[in-house]
Amino acid sequence: EEQLELIGNRIQRLGPINLAAIDEYKIESERKDYLDQQNAELEDALNTLQNAIQKIDRETRTRFKETFDLVNGHIQELFPKLFGGGHAYLEMTGEDLLNTGVTLMARPPGKKNSSIHLLSGGEKAMTAIAMVFSIFKLNPAPFCMLDEVDAPLDDSNVVRFCDLLRDICEQTDTRFLVITHHRMTMARMDRLFGITMEQRGISKLVSVDLQTAERIRDNAVA
């Protein structure tokens, strides 16, 4: 009797029996299986994403280093042509290729400056031209527009600038559209386009083929 009473008390302490527990267990088990499957898919996606990021980082480092070396070689070639001497080069500011900066060191002939900020306005413009065309030579476009880039240049630098444009045209299929007010730059171009106003308030586009104009002039003189 004592044992029966003890067991009865224990059964009472268990509380009411949930007859739906088996069905609830089945539902929760199915939900757990579904969540486990979703978690496995997320982990697979995360691993795939991490692998893709690592691959992109490797390719980025490789392509950046290749591009850096090419541009560095181009600017070391173009800078002396524009300045008639001197040298320039690119320098990385850090070891991590994904986060490093790039410094441009430019030293015109006869100068030992340690920063590009110490260059004159014309020298900065020429250095910028050398840098732009060093990048441009990686993948030359069919057309390139230059807007008053020769404005701060003196006559000797304008000659070198025009010689550079001529060399690039001969080496590639690129054609330059140069907006300028410099007479020496105009004289070195193949064709001139200008706006004239023969009548007040009426603008007119004028085009001159300089080579044809020179032949007409030579024939007239002969």
Side-chain angles (χ1 to χ4, degrees), residues 122-183:
E123 290 171 338
K124 289 180 180 178
M126 293 286 281
T127 303
I129 291 171
M131 185 65 195
V132 168
F133 282 116
S134 296
I135 299 174
F136 183 79
K137 290 183 69 175
L138 294 175
N139 187 20
F143 294 94
C144 179
M145 178 180 290
L146 304 174
D147 188 1
E148 298 287 358
V149 298
D150 58 347
L153 307 182
D154 56 23
D155 290 349
S156 59
N157 287 332
V158 168
V159 172
R160 298 191 188 99
F161 166 68
C162 293
D163 289 340
L164 176 62
L165 297 186
R166 183 69 61 182
D167 291 342
I168 295 177
C169 287
E170 293 176 352
Q171 296 171 6
T172 66
D173 294 329
T174 302
R175 293 297 174 262
F176 290 96
L177 179 60
V178 182
I179 301 174
T180 181
H181 288 88
H182 203 291
R183 56 181 177 78

Side-chain angles (χ1 to χ4, degrees), residues 29-170:
S29 179
E30 291 177 352
R31 178 169 176 77
K32 180 180 181 301
D33 292 340
Y34 172 77
L35 293 177
D36 288 342
Q37 181 182 359
Q38 294 295 312
N39 182 66
E41 292 179 358
L42 288 175
E43 290 181 351
D44 291 341
L46 180 60
N47 292 332
T48 301
L49 182 60
Q50 290 176 341
N51 292 333
I53 292 175
Q54 293 175 359
K55 180 180 179 182
I56 291 173
D57 287 347
R58 288 194 301 268
E59 292 181 354
T60 300
R61 288 187 176 93
T62 300
R63 296 187 64 180
F64 173 78
K65 186 62 169 61
E66 292 174 351
T67 303
F68 176 85
D69 292 339
L70 288 173
V71 174
N72 197 16
H74 290 160
I75 198 169
Q76 292 181 33
E77 173 188 355
L78 295 180
F79 188 87
K81 289 183 178 180
L82 285 171
F83 279 87
H87 67 281
Y89 60 93
L90 299 177
E91 191 176 71
M92 295 185 190
T93 59
E95 296 181 357
D96 186 0
L97 297 182
L98 294 178
N99 299 313
T100 184
V102 177
T103 300
L104 171 59
M105 303 300 296
R107 294 178 180 174
K111 288 194 173 183
K112 295 183 179 180
N113 56 288
S114 58
S115 173
I116 192 174
H117 300 292
L118 300 178
L119 299 177
S120 65
E123 290 171 338
K124 289 180 180 178
M126 293 286 281
T127 303
I129 291 171
M131 185 65 195
V132 168
F133 282 116
S134 296
I135 299 174
F136 183 79
K137 290 183 69 175
L138 294 175
N139 187 20
F143 294 94
C144 179
M145 178 180 290
L146 304 174
D147 188 1
E148 298 287 358
V149 298
D150 58 347
L153 307 182
D154 56 23
D155 290 349
S156 59
N157 287 332
V158 168
V159 172
R160 298 191 188 99
F161 166 68
C162 293
D163 289 340
L164 176 62
L165 297 186
R166 183 69 61 182
D167 291 342
I168 295 177
C169 287
E170 293 176 352

Side-chain angles (χ1 to χ4, degrees), residues 215-222:
R215 288 196 298 269
I216 294 175
R217 180 200 61 187
D218 295 338
N219 292 335
V221 172

